[in-house]
Amino acid sequence: MMTKLFRRCLAGALTGAVLTAAAAQPAAAGKISIGHTIWVGYGPLYLAKELGFFKENGVDADFQVVDDSALAMAAQAAGKLDGTATTLDEILKYRSPDFCFKAVALFDESHGGDGMVSLKEINSLADLKGKTVAMNEGSTSQFWFSYLMKKAGIPLKDVEVLNMSADAAAAAFIAGQVPAAVTWEPNLTLVKTKNVGKVLTDSAATPGVIIDVLEFSCSVLKDRPADVKGFIAGLQKAVDYIKTNPDKAYEIMAKGVGGYLKEPKDFADAASGVKFYDKAMTIEYFGTAAKPGPAADVVKLGNEIWSDLGKIKKPVTYDEIIDPSFTQ
């Protein structure tokens, strides 16, 4: 109850902050506002802004860092943000007739950046039966865990989920309070360093499942397509820059994203657990409206998992949640 109350208060504070920013800088042609959590995959946003890739495409970019993607989505639904950077599975929970938005670009794929830690004597998902697993309910962590269990043919009711943030879950595991936890870097490395358990599995074993996307409100896509295309062009140029100038890119992105990633070395270490998506990879993953790519499989999977967990009332179709035309 306290967690819900805290989130509501925080949501109110965020909305107020965004309202103030919006009042100071009214939405106009060429200005794009994006909300995002602190995650290594969103580094290209700051790289593109710092190197002028957005401006050379006629776009002025503004970013709002939030603690929870649900809060960014709430601000966007209220018209205070143009879009949000979060995972493909996550956005399925918020799409409705009253809140129209679509994913139009990709940031990255978690490739070892997310994972499950466990006691050393736990050697498989089957060994988790009857045990408690700490994770953030309703988040990508729970989606990914549910996917693993579904793939292994193990009913979710066979384990007890203890709801807490990814960082708190890792801390509880390290303290010996739970036998397993779903978390992400740098917590996975911390568990290895402290030698208190092991990484049972990570997202490198599930390519294409945890994908970060950029989505925009349908009104923005309809009324300002040139701005959206310019923003995506700048973003994709930043990803290309990472390939040729990684050290400089990590330095810029670390400064921009901040938080636990503020040091270039920490950012570079975290970046080893993701795959940044360039234009060709994005086109392949999204596919087309006539012939959807792997993204359609994640949409289908997300519908199944979130429906089973009671997080969505109505399945969302590929066409309702993805518009691949902006990257063609």
Side-chain angles (χ1 to χ4, degrees):
M1 183 68 176
M2 288 301 293
T3 299
K4 290 181 179 179
L5 181 59
F6 172 75
R7 287 187 175 181
R8 286 178 182 175
C9 291
L10 187 57
L14 170 69
T15 302
V18 176
L19 273 168
T20 301
Q25 297 179 321
K31 188 169 184 64
I32 292 287
S33 58
I34 300 293
H36 69 87
T37 57
I38 294 178
W39 173 246
V40 63
Y42 306 142
L45 289 171
Y46 293 90
L47 185 61
K49 184 171 183 176
E50 176 69 20
L51 296 181
F53 297 158
F54 289 136
K55 281 195 176 296
E56 69 184 34
N57 282 283
V59 178
D60 180 16
D62 178 65
F63 309 129
Q64 299 282 341
V65 178
V66 295
D67 293 332
D68 189 329
S69 58
L71 302 181
M73 298 297 292
Q76 182 183 342
K80 308 310 173 186
L81 290 171
D82 294 318
T84 300
T86 186
T87 57
L88 179 54
D89 67 276
E90 177 85 6
I91 62 176
L92 298 176
K93 298 184 299 178
Y94 306 108
R95 185 67 163 83
S96 72
D98 298 323
F99 185 18
C100 180
F101 57 85
K102 293 187 178 184
V104 294
L106 301 178
F107 285 101
D108 68 288
E109 166 190 316
S110 179
H111 193 75
D114 295 80
M116 188 190 315
V117 294
S118 70
L119 297 175
K120 292 182 179 179
E121 57 266 29
I122 296 176
N123 296 307
S124 68
L125 293 175
D127 292 340
L128 294 173
K129 291 182 179 180
K131 294 181 172 60
T132 298
V133 182
M135 71 186 74
N136 189 356
E137 286 187 338
S139 73
T140 294
S141 290
Q142 188 177 28
F143 164 77
W144 183 67
F145 175 75
S146 300
Y147 165 76
L148 293 175
M149 296 291 278
K150 191 180 188 74
K151 186 177 178 182
I154 303 172
L156 290 176
K157 62 181 179 61
D158 286 359
V159 301
E160 180 180 348
V161 172
L162 180 60
N163 184 27
M164 55 179 65
S165 71
D167 290 338
F173 173 75
I174 292 173
Q177 298 171 354
V178 291
V182 181
T183 185
W184 48 54
E185 289 290 15
N187 299 322
L188 302 178
T189 297
L190 184 62
V191 167
K192 296 176 186 176
T193 302
K194 289 185 173 294
N195 196 31
V196 294
K198 64 183 180 183
V199 176
L200 183 62
T201 186
D202 63 35
S203 54
T206 57
V209 173
I210 301 179
I211 295 285
D212 285 289
V213 300
L214 172 66
E215 55 82 4
F216 284 107
S217 296
C218 291
S219 58
V220 175
L221 299 178
K222 178 183 177 182
D223 300 336
R224 301 162 57 195
D227 292 345
V228 174
K229 289 181 179 179
F231 191 93
I232 294 173
L235 189 64
Q236 292 172 338
K237 187 171 181 177
V239 172
D240 290 337
Y241 183 90
I242 296 172
K243 299 175 187 177
T244 56
N245 303 274
D247 292 340
K248 183 62 177 177
Y250 293 150
E251 180 183 340
I252 294 173
M253 292 190 290
K255 181 180 178 181
V257 175
Y260 69 93
L261 295 169
K262 64 181 179 180
E263 296 297 332
K265 181 183 182 305
D266 293 332
F267 194 97
D269 289 343
S272 67
V274 303
K275 286 184 177 180
F276 291 107
Y277 270 57
D278 59 20
K279 182 175 181 178
M281 295 166 70
T282 296
I283 291 174
E284 180 181 0
Y285 189 83
F286 272 164
T288 64
K291 189 178 180 180
D297 296 328
V298 174
V299 171
K300 180 176 182 294
L301 180 66
N303 279 323
E304 294 174 357
I305 290 175
W306 290 132
S307 293
D308 290 344
L309 294 170
K311 300 298 183 181
I312 58 175
K313 296 181 179 180
K314 179 182 178 297
V316 182
T317 66
Y318 171 94
D319 291 338
E320 289 175 325
I321 204 71
I322 293 174
D323 184 345
S325 66
F326 287 90
T327 56
Q328 300 301 313

